[in-house]
Amino acid sequence: MLMASATYRIPAIRVTLTEVFTNKTPTDAYRGAGRPEATYYVERALDMLARELGMDPAEVRRKNFIPPDAFPYQTPMGATYDSGNYEAALDAALKASDWEGLKKARDEARAQRRLVGLGLSMYVEVCGIGPSSTLPMGGWEHAHVAIERDGRITATTGASPHGQGNETTFAQMLADQFGVPLDHVTVQHGDTSIAKQGVGTFGSRSQAVGGTALHMAGTKVKAKMAKFAAALLEAHEEDLVFENGTIAIVGAPAASLKFQHVAAFAYVPVPLPEGITEPGLSADAYFEPSNNTYPFGCHISMIEIDRETGEPTLRKLVAVDDAGVLVNPLIVEGQIHGGLAQGIGQAMMEQAVYNADGQLVTGSFMDYAMPRATDFPRFELQSTVTPTPVNPLGAKGVGEAGTLGSTPCIVSAAVDALSTFGVKHVDMPLRPEKLWRIIRGGRS
Amino acid sequence: VIPTAFDYERATSLEDALARLSAAGGQGKVIAGGHSLLPLMKLRLSEPRRLVDIAAIAELRGIREMADTIAIGATTTHHEVATSQLLLRLCPVVAEAAGTIGDQQVRNRGTIGGSLAHADPSADLPAVMLALDAELQLAGPDGRRAVRAQDFFTDLFTVDLGDGELITAVRFKPTRKAAYAKLYQRASHYAIVGVAAALEVQGGTIGSARIGLTGAGSHARRLTAVEQALEGRPASDETIEAAAQHAGVALEDVNADIHASEEYRREMVAVFARRALRAALART
């Protein structure tokens, strides 16, 4: 409901929700958790509008975007979008997919009686959760950074990753901050005897909130380390630069100290430099964001449906995602690949089926269809970068983005492919028999 | 999820396997790849007391050309069948169908004999064996015998295989003019409908046709009405179209499940019969 405004300037929004009790298997937050649903309904509605008006689906969206100069933008649903440039993402996706060329290819295929359709979807995410006023357990994240006596860095985070790759991105950030090799940074997490405080990883918050907490702890330690180095170099701490494993005076690289030399000195500071009251190099930080972040993007797909069997095949998928500043683009791509696979699986095949007695009949992966790598084309990914003002990294978060745009854009492509039969909407998943019935109904 | 307790024995020769099966007194099961049997055991739909593993018996494995026939040993894996240069050259339909089974991990373990003996109603290979008029070679306590594929598959998970008997090989006359087409069940990759078609064409006329169907009913069967509508007619797309279009209409005992209704399956029988026949005709 919070995200019902999507990427559009909508003056007034009315939402009706129906809650139901069910004795089916309970479900809980699934990748995207609420945002895919909001995106799906708004984007499907815009496609219906485009069809009604005879407009290109890209253009109907362009006309209704929240413009870049309107941020921070308060939606009627109560969200305050931090930053955005939706038209840039749309244009990047149109260009990357060769939208006009795709339309031509679709029309040529249709002339040969092939059922080919295009789908386009915008999305806006809510990530980097969030202000403590919105979360009962607190919206902050904790970090601890220590420079060990040998110059190695130990970082501890409460945003404990379980496969997202944050050990790498967190280490990269700190290695950059201190000008040391990546393998000199160890990231610790997941053990409550080590990570004393933490809220956790969820809601695509690890980089934007946990990463910022680490950056803040790193900044504190770096300031203290600069004082030790300044004393040894007889320089001003503002004149120091941390690079290539050294701490040097700007403009005088010959006057430099090895990073580990300064680290060792910090633990045996004889004499204790002026302005420093205790030895050691470690700091804690808590970061509580003033707002969530709102990443966004545009996904485009092409689908072909077998006229005889109803089987849909995904021919093309282009995703342009804007997650703010990217720490590690490769890891971001991996997150998007996984999200796309889940979103496409939901749109095309996944379905929990119960029989009339309430028995789950898709109780194993022999009957519950999960997508395989062979069900996908090569994903074509691009990114635009609109930094968030909410944190000093400018990073917005990306963990769930792939599930938002892909699902409506797949269904829209299928509806477009079936438009010759007067179809305006098809519910997920796109099971072959369902599509076959539409095609067959259209024939008679 | 946990099978009932069982003994496991690895047989060293065919004679050894037969002796061990006999000794199990009807409580034994043969295992090779285990890809059909183990899931059933985990669901306790099958509760053998003794498993006799035949996977290590050399004489049961491999693909051999013998005079004008090809024999595939029972424990030959789907992967070995799918990638056999001999089959791809002389009888590509078998390799083609084996390559559509499950996924690579399944094909690395599952065996042709296991698939045929298990006779899952949606398994791919029974349809191919019917189209090739293959002969299943069996060995048991009373010696050896051979059964034609069309007599072997008798009902749901039911085949002409006696107590203590096992499949040693399948044998068929190779033909290049045969093809397999299937509608995949997207979760398991079993066939919702699978059709294997083999044609003999002489001088532009279809001399004989054999069509095996799987997935539609309780067990694999021939589409004899379609075969008859092809025989003696010109080898053309028009003949195929006319013969196949009603292929599903008159079938008895057509399955319906969450993956496909009876109505859809009947229609898909016609679609995939046409596709298999066209592909067979196109092969040279």
Side-chain angles (χ1 to χ4, degrees):
Chain A
M1 221 164 62
L2 180 71
M3 301 308 292
S5 193
T7 55
Y8 310 106
R9 196 202 279 272
I10 306 174
I13 296 175
R14 178 170 167 171
V15 177
T16 306
L17 289 180
T18 308
E19 296 185 27
V20 295
F21 284 108
T22 174
N23 56 4
K24 292 179 180 177
T25 305
T27 56
D28 202 333
Y30 182 72
R31 201 172 193 169
R35 294 90 119 189
E37 290 77 5
T39 307
Y40 185 75
Y41 289 113
V42 175
E43 293 298 317
R44 290 293 308 122
L46 272 166
D47 274 338
M48 291 177 186
L49 176 64
R51 196 165 294 284
E52 200 73 27
L53 297 173
M55 276 180 83
D56 185 305
E59 296 316 308
V60 81
R61 286 167 168 85
R62 191 190 299 279
K63 256 188 183 316
N64 287 284
F65 280 149
I66 300 160
D69 60 8
F71 293 91
Y73 176 81
Q74 168 97 42
T75 76
M77 305 309 292
T80 303
Y81 294 170
D82 55 341
S83 62
N85 189 347
Y86 304 144
E87 195 163 14
L90 173 69
D91 284 333
L94 294 176
K95 187 157 179 280
S97 66
D98 182 18
W99 181 245
E100 292 306 317
L102 279 185
K103 287 200 285 189
K104 195 157 166 276
R106 172 195 63 189
D107 295 342
E108 282 169 11
R110 282 185 182 168
Q112 300 161 12
R113 291 192 77 246
R114 287 162 60 199
L115 300 176
V116 175
L118 299 178
L120 181 150
S121 174
M122 298 297 301
Y123 75 85
V124 58
E125 251 269 56
V126 47
C127 293
I129 295 167
S132 286
S133 57
T134 65
L135 283 176
M137 72 286 237
W140 47 267
E141 192 49 79
H142 170 253
H144 179 78
V145 170
I147 314 292
E148 310 293 350
R149 299 169 76 139
D150 64 355
R152 301 212 172 225
I153 299 174
T154 305
T156 309
T157 176
S160 180
H162 48 265
Q164 299 95 319
N166 293 113
E167 294 95 333
T168 304
T169 60
F170 290 162
Q172 279 184 289
M173 277 171 33
L174 291 166
D176 268 5
Q177 197 172 12
F178 287 97
V180 298
L182 183 59
D183 63 2
H184 285 201
V185 184
T186 302
V187 176
Q188 304 187 124
H189 63 89
D191 181 342
T192 50
S193 72
I194 298 166
K196 303 285 189 191
Q197 291 296 337
V199 172
T201 179
F202 57 89
S204 305
R205 73 194 296 270
S206 295
Q207 189 61 49
V209 186
T212 300
L214 278 165
H215 178 79
M216 287 166 58
T219 303
K220 290 182 192 176
V221 177
K222 191 174 174 182
K224 188 174 181 188
M225 195 172 188
K227 285 191 200 302
F228 285 115
L232 291 172
L233 287 165
E234 298 178 351
H236 291 292
E237 58 198 75
E238 316 79 75
D239 294 338
L240 299 180
V241 57
F242 289 60
E243 61 184 11
N244 300 325
T246 68
I247 302 173
I249 299 170
V250 179
S256 75
L257 294 167
K258 284 195 167 166
F259 188 84
Q260 61 262 44
H261 177 81
V262 180
F265 176 69
Y267 287 92
V268 193
V270 182
L272 196 64
E274 232 174 277
I276 293 180
T277 56
E278 52 188 323
L281 287 173
S282 67
D284 286 280
Y286 289 82
F287 175 61
E288 186 198 332
S290 57
N291 187 10
N292 301 318
T293 61
Y294 293 85
F296 55 91
C298 178
H299 292 186
I300 287 175
S301 70
M302 180 186 250
I303 277 190
E304 177 157 10
I305 298 170
D306 186 314
R307 186 180 278 273
E308 291 184 324
T309 66
E311 291 173 289
T313 304
L314 181 56
R315 295 268 182 237
K316 191 176 185 74
L317 195 126
V318 174
V320 172
D321 298 277
D322 190 321
V325 174
L326 308 182
V327 173
N328 183 320
L330 183 68
I331 280 177
V332 168
E333 281 197 7
Q335 287 289 314
I336 292 171
H337 277 211
L340 291 176
Q342 275 183 255
I344 295 165
Q346 180 183 355
M348 296 187 72
M349 55 182 81
E350 295 184 46
Q351 187 174 25
V353 181
Y354 293 81
N355 68 15
D357 301 327
Q359 175 70 39
L360 180 68
V361 288
T362 47
S364 85
F365 290 122
M366 290 294 277
D367 286 307
Y368 184 91
M370 292 280 284
R372 294 162 158 88
T374 50
D375 293 317
F376 303 124
R378 176 171 288 274
F379 297 141
E380 299 168 55
L381 306 187
Q382 283 195 9
S383 54
T384 57
V385 175
T386 308
T388 177
V390 171
N391 65 60
L393 303 176
K396 290 192 168 188
V398 74
E400 298 163 284
T403 58
L404 272 68
S406 57
T407 313
C409 105
I410 296 283
V411 173
S412 292
V415 171
D416 186 40
L418 297 171
S419 58
T420 165
F421 304 112
V423 173
K424 291 184 176 152
H425 178 69
V426 181
D427 279 333
M428 300 182 280
L430 303 173
R431 304 291 289 256
E433 180 168 349
K434 187 193 290 180
L435 305 185
W436 172 78
R437 287 189 182 279
I438 291 168
I439 295 165
R440 198 188 52 153
R443 263 185 198 160
S444 59
Chain B
V1 177
I2 310 289
T4 44
F6 59 89
D7 295 326
Y8 170 87
E9 298 173 354
R10 173 156 275 209
T12 54
S13 68
L14 178 58
E15 291 66 34
D16 183 37
L18 293 172
R20 288 176 187 278
L21 269 182
S22 271
Q27 300 288 313
K29 275 272 185 194
V30 171
I31 187 167
H35 270 51
S36 300
L37 180 59
L38 290 181
L40 289 183
M41 289 171 61
K42 288 179 177 183
L43 293 170
R44 302 205 176 185
L45 294 172
S46 178
E47 298 183 280
R49 295 282 176 79
R50 179 183 292 191
L51 290 187
V52 179
D53 189 338
I54 60 168
I57 302 173
E59 67 182 287
L60 295 183
R61 187 159 186 161
I63 303 164
R64 294 176 202 87
E65 193 177 3
M66 303 158 80
D68 61 346
T69 66
I70 290 178
I72 305 178
T75 63
T76 311
T77 65
H78 302 315
H79 175 74
E80 288 164 341
V81 173
T83 56
S84 159
Q85 291 306 310
L86 181 71
L87 288 170
L88 287 167
R89 194 173 77 244
L90 299 178
C91 196
V93 64
V94 189
E96 174 180 70
T100 71
I101 295 171
D103 51 38
Q104 187 63 53
Q105 287 89 336
V106 169
R107 294 194 291 274
N108 283 342
R109 293 288 303 169
T111 65
I112 189 168
S115 173
L116 298 174
H118 182 61
D120 188 289
S122 301
D124 299 285
L125 291 173
V128 178
M129 295 303 123
L130 287 172
L132 294 175
D133 195 20
E135 182 184 273
L136 287 103
Q137 301 188 314
L138 315 178
D142 302 323
R144 294 178 180 250
R145 67 187 177 108
V147 184
R148 287 178 69 193
Q150 66 182 59
D151 302 321
F152 186 72
F153 304 105
T154 56
D155 206 342
L156 186 69
F157 296 111
T158 307
V159 294
D160 177 12
L161 199 59
D163 253 2
E165 249 185 341
L166 55 80
I167 301 173
T168 60
V170 290
R171 206 162 65 104
F172 49 85
K173 276 194 179 166
T175 171
R176 283 198 54 82
K177 253 189 160 28
Y180 182 66
K182 95 191 225 189
L183 178 64
Y184 281 84
Q185 198 260 68
R186 297 299 288 273
S188 66
H189 283 190
Y190 270 112
I192 290 175
V193 164
V195 178
L199 297 173
E200 277 176 40
V201 178
Q202 291 125 1
T205 299
I206 297 172
S208 76
R210 279 190 311 269
I211 305 171
L213 169 69
T214 188
S218 61
H219 60 95
R221 63 183 113 169
R222 296 264 295 268
L223 285 174
T224 44
V226 181
E227 294 171 359
Q228 284 157 15
L230 291 165
E231 284 168 3
R233 300 253 155 68
S236 68
D237 280 355
E238 292 71 34
T239 300
I240 288 170
E241 179 66 39
Q245 65 176 334
H246 301 303
V249 178
L251 287 176
E252 286 171 19
D253 164 39
V254 171
N255 292 337
D257 56 31
I258 58 166
H259 304 293
S261 67
E262 178 183 334
E263 184 190 8
Y264 182 54
R265 266 199 174 79
R266 286 186 188 279
E267 177 81 12
M268 291 306 108
V269 170
V271 169
F272 285 88
R274 184 166 61 235
R275 290 183 182 184
L277 284 163
R278 279 191 181 159
L281 189 60
R283 277 215 160 104
T284 51

